Amino acid sequence: TLVHTPAPKKKKHLWSAGPPDHVGEKLALIECASILLIGISSYTIAEAAAAGYYGGRYLENDNNNDDADTEKTWREEKTWREQAKDQVFLFIASAFNATLLNYSLSVGAVALLTCLVIRAIENFRPGILVAPHSFVGKAEYTVEKVLAGSMAAWWLAGAAVMTFKGPFVDASNGYFAAWLGLIGSLLWAAPLFPPHSDAKKGPEESDKDKTLAMIALSSVVLIISIISIGDWGNLTTANVIYGLLAAALSLFLALVLGFAKNLNVHWDRAISVVLALMWVFAAIFLAAVGPFKQAGNGMFSTWLGTLCSVKNLMRSIYKTSA
């Protein structure tokens, strides 16, 4: 006698349930970056509050004030409970004054809260985020597509402000957390916004488009990095001018290779050679000589553009010899 044993039901968990697997992976990456950003920003705000309290307050009283030493001694003799209470109030006050740190904290907090809400919605209402909806009876969209696009725009603005303006201009934990969140959001949104011609392209053309997109992105980041320098200095003025011109020309040539239809193989190869040479010299003049010797947006964009341009040149040579 055959006995039918029903398959065990899968138990739903708030953390594991949610969008399809590939989306869940992208949410996990965004959540990781958000948690890192929240922790780093909170710690930096607290550290700045302590430095401003025990440093700046004494410096103000040291000038023409005979009671400065007395006040310093009195504050050092405070109990740990009184000091902890002071730190709480100083943390709150500094959070309102530290605009950039406050902004970085909000970027991580909003992103993390959004991801948790998405997981909760998919857990209790599965499929609701991927169900197609019509807009004015024509274009179709999904809630997931809107959320992914909004998340990518949120992290794009956040990474631009945090790594160009502050507080994470130099390479640090906060710097990499900002870019990690942007990468995670783009990996989530990119498959949902494919070009209409993607279906007609083979893997070689798709790989070419991704490489050219990275070259264009490196060019834009390098241009912004150069402009944000402000004081270029005497020793690196020629290097900076070359980098600015090379990045602008690289952006133009990458767009030509990406959008030009039926481009001659010889022209493709010639443009690829020019791109590779420009980026190699940019790496020498900007990253080795200056002004981007230190790790940051300028250095990383220079090396990323160099690697992608060389990869594009190899693709062009292979295509020519095929």
Side-chain angles (χ1 to χ4, degrees):
T1 304
L2 298 177
V3 179
H4 175 70
T5 304
K9 295 183 178 180
K10 294 183 178 180
K11 186 178 180 180
K12 289 186 176 182
H13 298 281
L14 179 60
W15 186 259
S16 60
D21 291 340
H22 69 285
V23 177
E25 294 175 0
K26 307 310 179 295
L27 287 182
L29 191 61
I30 297 172
E31 288 163 345
C32 179
S34 301
I35 293 173
L36 287 172
L37 198 58
I38 291 172
I40 294 167
S41 300
S42 301
Y43 176 79
T44 308
I45 290 175
E47 192 176 34
Y53 183 78
Y54 293 107
R57 182 68 181 272
Y58 295 149
L59 292 176
E60 292 176 1
N61 293 330
D62 281 342
N63 298 325
N64 300 325
N65 190 346
D66 297 333
D67 297 331
D69 294 335
T70 303
E71 181 181 356
K72 181 175 181 179
T73 303
W74 175 75
R75 294 193 181 281
E76 287 177 346
E77 291 176 352
K78 275 189 173 183
T79 64
W80 67 269
R81 287 189 178 86
E82 293 173 332
Q83 293 180 10
K85 182 179 178 181
D86 289 343
Q87 291 304 313
V88 172
F89 286 105
L90 286 168
F91 177 87
I92 298 174
S94 298
F96 287 101
N97 295 327
T99 306
L100 293 176
L101 285 171
N102 205 24
Y103 173 72
S104 66
L105 182 63
S106 66
V107 170
V110 171
L112 180 61
L113 179 61
T114 303
C115 290
L116 295 178
V117 170
I118 291 174
R119 289 186 181 275
I121 292 176
E122 277 291 316
N123 182 68
F124 297 108
R125 295 291 300 275
I128 190 174
L129 296 181
V130 296
H133 301 274
S134 60
F135 181 71
V136 197
K138 295 183 180 180
E140 289 190 352
Y141 69 95
T142 63
V143 177
E144 179 192 358
K145 189 173 183 179
V146 174
L147 290 173
S150 302
M151 183 71 75
W154 177 254
W155 276 104
L156 179 62
V161 172
M162 287 185 287
T163 60
F164 282 108
K165 184 69 176 177
F168 308 118
V169 177
D170 297 326
S172 61
N173 292 328
Y175 176 92
F176 290 109
W179 284 109
L180 181 65
L182 177 60
I183 292 173
S185 62
L186 291 178
L187 289 175
W188 178 26
L192 303 177
F193 296 89
H196 296 293
S197 57
D198 254 10
K200 302 178 182 179
K201 292 184 178 181
E204 183 180 350
E205 288 297 318
S206 297
D207 184 66
K208 171 189 172 183
D209 290 345
K210 294 176 182 177
T211 304
L212 293 175
M214 295 306 296
I215 294 175
L217 176 62
S218 301
S219 303
V220 173
V221 174
L222 183 57
I223 291 173
I224 299 175
S225 299
I226 292 175
I227 294 176
S228 62
I229 291 177
D231 184 12
W232 292 355
N234 296 325
L235 298 178
T236 59
T237 300
N239 298 353
V240 168
I241 293 176
Y242 170 80
L244 190 60
L245 295 177
L249 182 58
S250 171
L251 178 61
F252 172 74
L253 294 179
L255 294 176
V256 170
L257 288 178
F259 289 97
K261 296 181 179 180
N262 301 323
L263 185 65
N264 186 280
V265 173
H266 299 291
W267 277 108
D268 188 327
R269 186 173 185 181
I271 295 175
S272 299
V273 169
V274 173
L275 270 176
L277 289 176
M278 283 195 311
W279 278 105
V280 168
F281 282 111
I284 296 174
F285 294 149
L286 298 177
V289 179
F292 301 126
K293 293 182 179 181
Q294 302 297 326
N297 288 337
M299 172 182 281
F300 291 134
S301 62
T302 300
W303 283 110
L304 179 62
T306 302
L307 294 175
C308 291
S309 63
V310 171
K311 179 183 178 182
N312 178 69
L313 176 59
M314 295 299 101
R315 186 269 317 164
S316 179
I317 294 174
Y318 175 79
K319 180 180 179 180
T320 303
S321 60

